[in-house]
C-alpha cells in the first residue's frame, strides 16, 4: 500500500463520514449557539481546566510516583499554574517533587527517557524560585550531563517515539539555563537517530509527516487488521508535545529550529486531514476502522501542538484555528464529566489495541496532564 493512501481516506472522514451524532450534538449543546469550530473565550477554557485539575487532585491525595505518567500530569499542572497562578497547584507540585527529593526513577545513571520526564517539573519549580535552588535540578542535570559526554559515541537511547516528549524538553531547557549548546547538540544527535536511523529508515515517515511508535511498526511489520499501517495516535501526540516544548525554549536563530518547526508543521498538516468530525482523532491515524472512537490523550497533545503553532505563527490561522477549536470543544463536550473527571483516555500501552476498551469512564494521569497542557496553551490563543 502506498504510504500516502490513508490521508485521502482520513480527509473524507474529516469532511463528514458517518460518526455518532451524539458527540457533535453534545458539543453544540455545551457551547450553546457557538459553532464547533469556534473557540470559547479564555475564561471558559480556564474554568474547564480548573475543574479537571481539581478533580484529579481531589481524587489523588497521594501525589504518586516520579515515573513518566505522573510526571506528565505534573507538567500539565505546572502549565496551568503558570496560566492561573493558583497557589494550590504549585503546592501540590512542590509536594510531589519534595516527596521524591527531586530525584529520578532509577537514579542519575539512567539513560532511559521515561526516567527523565520528572525533570521537566523540577526545572519548572527551579525557575520559579527567587533564588534558584540548584538541588532541585541536580539529579536531572547530572543524568543528562552523562549523556552529553557520550552522545558522539552513543545516541540510540530513544528507540521509541514517546521518548522525544519525555527527554527532549529537559535537554533543551538545561541548554538554555546553562547557556551550553552541548545539551542541544546531544539532543539533536539522539533525535536524529530516532527520526532517521532507528530500525533502518527511522521512525519518521516524511511522505506523510507522521511517526511510527517503534521499529516493529515500520512498513513490513505490524499492521492493522485491514492491512493498513499502524500510526498510533498517542505516540504521535508525544512527538507533537516534544516539538512544542523544545521550540518554546530554543532561540529562533538556532540552526536546528527550522527542522523542528518543519517536523511539527508536517505532523499537524497530516493530522488535520484525519481529524474526526467530532473533533477527536482515532487511536490509529492510518485506519479509521481500527478500533474507531473518541480518544482523549492523543487528541489533547495534538491540540497542544496546534495551539502552540497558531500562537507562534507557524500555521495559517484560518486553516488550523478551527482544528484546535473542534478538538477542544469535542473533548469538553464528550470527555469531561460534570465533576471534572476526564474520560476516553487510552491507558498505558504502545498501540491502538492497548488498554482497550476506551470509554467515558477510562482515564489516566498523563491524559489529564496532556489536557491541561492543551488548554493552557489554547487559552493564550483564545480571546477574552
Amino acid at each position: 500500500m502506498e504510504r500516502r493512501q490513508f490521508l485521502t481516506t482520513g480527509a473524507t472522514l474529516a469532511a463528514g463520514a458517518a460518526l455518532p451524532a451524539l458527540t457533535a450534538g453534545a458539543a453544540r449543546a455545551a457551547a450553546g449557539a457557538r459553532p464547533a469550530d469556534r473557540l470559547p473565550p479564555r475564561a471558559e477554557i480556564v474554568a474547564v481546566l480548573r475543574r479537571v485539575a481539581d478533580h484529579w487532585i481531589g481524587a489523588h491525595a497521594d501525589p504518586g510516583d516520579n515515573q513518566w505518567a505522573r510526571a506528565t500530569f505534573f507538567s500539565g499542572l505546572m502549565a496551568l499554574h503558570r496560566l492561573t497562578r493558583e497557589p494550590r497547584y504549585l503546592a501540590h507540585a512542590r509536594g510531589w517533587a519534595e516527596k521524591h527529593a527531586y530525584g529520578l526513577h532509577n537514579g542519575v545513571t539512567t539513560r532511559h527517557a521515561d526516567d527523565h520526564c520528572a525533570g521537566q517539573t523540577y526545572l519548572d519549580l527551579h525557575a520559579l524560585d527567587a533564588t534558584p535552588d540548584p538541588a532541585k535540578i541536580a539529579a536531572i542535570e547530572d543524568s543528562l550531563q552523562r549523556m552529553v559526554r557520550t552522545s558522539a559515541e552513543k545516541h540510540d537511547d530513544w528507540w521509541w517515539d514517546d521518548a522525544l516528549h519525555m527527554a527532549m524538553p529537559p535537554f533543551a531547557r538545561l541548554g538554555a539555563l546553562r547557556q551550553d549548546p552541548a545539551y542541544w547538540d546531544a539532543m539533536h544527535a539522539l533525535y536524529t537517530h530516532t527520526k532517521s536511523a532507528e530500525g533502518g529508515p527511522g521512525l519518521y515517515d516524511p511522505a506523510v509527516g507522521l511517526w511510527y511508535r517503534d521499529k516493529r511498526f515500520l512498513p513490513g511489520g505490524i499492521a492493522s487488521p485491514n492491512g493498513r499501517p499502524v500510526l498510533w495516535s498517542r505516540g504521535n501526540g508525544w512527538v507533537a508535545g516534544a516539538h512544542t516544548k523544545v521550540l518554546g525554549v530554543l532561540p529562533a536563530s538556532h540552526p536546528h529550529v527550522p527542522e523542528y518547526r518543519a517536523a511539527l508543521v508536517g505532523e499537524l498538516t497530516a493530522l488535520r486531514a484525519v481529524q474526526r468530525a467530532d473533533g477527536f482523532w482515532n487511536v490509529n491515524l492510518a485506519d479509521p476502522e481500527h478500533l474507531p472512537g473518541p480518544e482523549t490523550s492523543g487528541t489533547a497533545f495534538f491540540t497542544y501542538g496546534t495551539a502552540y503553532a497558531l500562537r507562534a505563527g507557524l500555521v495559517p490561522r484560518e486553516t488550523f484555528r478551527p482544528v484546535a477549536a473542534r478538538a477542544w470543544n469535542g473533548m469538553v463536550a464528550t470527555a469531561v464529566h460534570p465533576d471534572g473527571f476526564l474520560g476516553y483516555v487510552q491507558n498505558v500501552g504502545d498501540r491502538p489495541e492497548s488498554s482497550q476498551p476506551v470509554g467515558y469512564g477510562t482515564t489516566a494521569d498523563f491524559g489529564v496532564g496532556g489536557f491541561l497542557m492543551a488548554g493552557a496553551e489554547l487559552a493564550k490563543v483564545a480571546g477574552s
Side-chain angles (χ1 to χ4, degrees):
M1 185 192 81
E2 292 294 327
R3 284 185 171 185
R4 291 182 180 272
Q5 182 180 341
F6 81 88
L7 290 176
T8 304
T9 303
T12 302
L13 175 65
L19 287 169
L22 175 63
T23 54
R28 285 194 295 271
R34 186 190 308 120
D37 61 357
R38 179 178 297 177
L39 284 174
R42 176 189 175 101
E44 190 174 316
I45 294 173
V46 172
V48 173
L49 292 173
R50 283 181 172 272
R51 193 161 84 243
V52 171
D54 291 348
H55 180 276
W56 182 270
I57 293 170
H60 299 85
D62 180 348
D65 62 34
N66 63 346
Q67 298 183 48
W68 67 269
R70 194 55 57 94
T72 299
F73 164 75
F74 279 102
S75 181
L77 188 66
M78 288 302 296
L80 181 57
H81 168 70
R82 289 191 294 273
L83 181 70
T84 64
R85 298 299 172 184
E86 173 56 60
R88 291 184 299 108
Y89 302 153
L90 179 58
H92 192 60
R94 278 182 172 153
W96 169 76
E98 290 168 1
K99 173 183 176 180
H100 300 290
Y102 291 88
L104 304 180
H105 182 64
N106 291 317
V108 296
T109 61
T110 184
R111 298 180 67 94
H112 201 287
D114 288 353
D115 297 335
H116 291 143
C117 191
Q120 298 187 40
T121 298
Y122 300 161
L123 283 157
D124 287 339
L125 294 168
H126 175 268
L128 289 176
D129 292 339
T131 303
D133 179 0
K136 291 182 176 178
I137 60 170
I140 186 64
E141 188 166 19
D142 185 350
S143 189
L144 267 55
Q145 264 292 335
R146 293 166 187 261
M147 295 183 71
V148 168
R149 289 194 293 268
T150 61
S151 62
E153 300 81 33
K154 179 170 173 52
H155 41 256
D156 60 353
D157 299 275
W158 298 348
W159 52 264
W160 73 115
D161 64 359
D162 314 30
L164 300 186
H165 170 267
M166 310 309 171
M168 284 184 75
F171 274 93
R173 292 182 61 180
L174 279 167
L177 178 66
R178 300 305 186 206
Q179 298 185 11
D180 184 354
Y183 285 101
W184 297 339
D185 293 342
M187 177 181 72
H188 190 257
L190 288 151
Y191 170 85
T192 299
H193 175 88
T194 309
K195 180 182 182 182
S196 305
E198 177 62 26
L203 303 184
Y204 177 63
D205 186 344
V208 297
L210 297 173
W211 298 64
Y212 294 95
R213 196 271 179 178
D214 58 61
K215 65 183 179 182
R216 297 170 300 163
F217 298 91
L218 290 169
I222 297 172
S224 78
N226 294 325
R228 306 191 76 175
V230 175
L231 290 160
W232 186 39
S233 180
R234 189 165 67 241
N236 278 274
W238 293 129
V239 172
H243 286 90
T244 296
K245 290 180 177 181
V246 167
L247 286 169
V249 172
L250 291 180
S253 60
H254 189 271
H256 298 310
V257 161
E259 179 184 1
Y260 297 141
R261 284 177 174 169
L264 178 60
V265 171
E267 182 178 11
L268 297 179
T269 300
L271 290 168
R272 176 175 173 267
V274 293
Q275 187 178 29
R276 291 163 50 96
D278 59 6
F280 287 85
W281 280 267
N282 288 314
V283 290
N284 185 357
L285 301 170
D287 188 346
E289 297 179 0
H290 185 193
L291 297 166
E295 200 287 306
T296 303
S297 65
T299 299
F301 275 105
F302 298 152
T303 307
Y304 176 47
T306 303
Y308 168 79
L310 282 165
R311 194 165 63 85
L314 304 183
V315 293
R317 175 186 173 96
E318 64 277 7
T319 305
F320 284 89
R321 190 177 173 102
V323 172
R326 284 192 295 268
W328 177 257
N329 291 329
M331 288 190 291
V332 171
T334 303
V336 179
H337 295 209
D339 65 356
F341 181 98
L342 183 70
Y344 287 101
V345 177
Q346 183 185 16
N347 217 298
V348 175
D350 63 1
R351 66 188 74 193
E353 290 87 354
S354 300
S355 300
Q356 291 287 349
V358 174
Y360 187 62
T362 59
T363 196
D365 41 11
F366 56 83
V368 175
F371 182 83
L372 298 181
M373 292 178 214
E377 192 68 28
L378 203 58
K380 301 171 189 175
V381 176
S384 58

